[in-house]
Amino acid sequence: MGIALTHSISPGISRCELSHRQREQIDVARAAAQHDAYCRMLDECGYRVVETDVNAAHPDSTFIEDTAVAVDELAVLCRPGVESRRGEVDGIEPVLARYRPLERITKPATLE
């Protein structure tokens, strides 16, 4: 059985990074419902869903896939290009370490 690591919706999601569209009001309850449906779908597809909230203070933390690239052998901790997202990597590191050996993208490289 595969593992799907997910992150709860940040209470601050309305302050998320935007680069390609105008800021608009985010319906946090709807985002939470969509996230719950996503987790249920992963479960229905046979994954063991592991949800964390270690980065709840980071508005974009729900997009956990931006913090690491995981394959069978290891997980590579990313270094996001946006400074405000870099703290998410430190938060998710101990969670990922439970499941994979870790490597890290280092300065000046970025990956998200």
Side-chain angles (χ1 to χ4, degrees):
M1 173 184 286
I3 296 170
L5 186 60
T6 66
H7 197 289
S8 61
I9 300 292
S10 168
I13 194 170
S14 296
R15 297 185 322 274
C16 64
E17 290 291 334
L18 293 175
S19 56
H20 301 291
R21 58 183 303 162
Q22 295 292 324
R23 185 163 302 277
E24 57 189 74
Q25 183 67 30
I26 294 176
D27 183 336
V28 177
R30 182 177 181 196
Q34 290 171 336
H35 179 71
D36 289 344
Y38 171 67
C39 291
R40 280 193 309 277
M41 182 269 314
L42 289 168
D43 180 66
E44 290 168 8
C45 288
Y47 289 91
R48 180 168 64 96
V49 178
V50 177
E51 186 164 27
T52 186
D53 63 356
V54 296
N55 284 322
H58 293 272
D60 292 287
S61 59
T62 301
F63 306 105
I64 197 170
E65 65 275 9
D66 293 342
T67 61
V69 177
V71 294
D72 289 342
E73 307 82 46
L74 73 140
V76 178
L77 295 166
C78 298
R79 183 173 179 269
V82 178
E83 181 73 33
S84 66
R85 301 227 35 218
R86 292 188 183 154
E88 294 174 46
V89 177
D90 292 336
I92 204 64
E93 182 175 7
V95 177
L96 286 170
R98 296 180 204 146
Y99 304 101
R100 301 278 190 281
L102 302 176
E103 294 293 333
R104 182 181 287 272
I105 299 294
T106 59
K107 190 177 179 177
T110 60
L111 176 67
E112 58 191 291

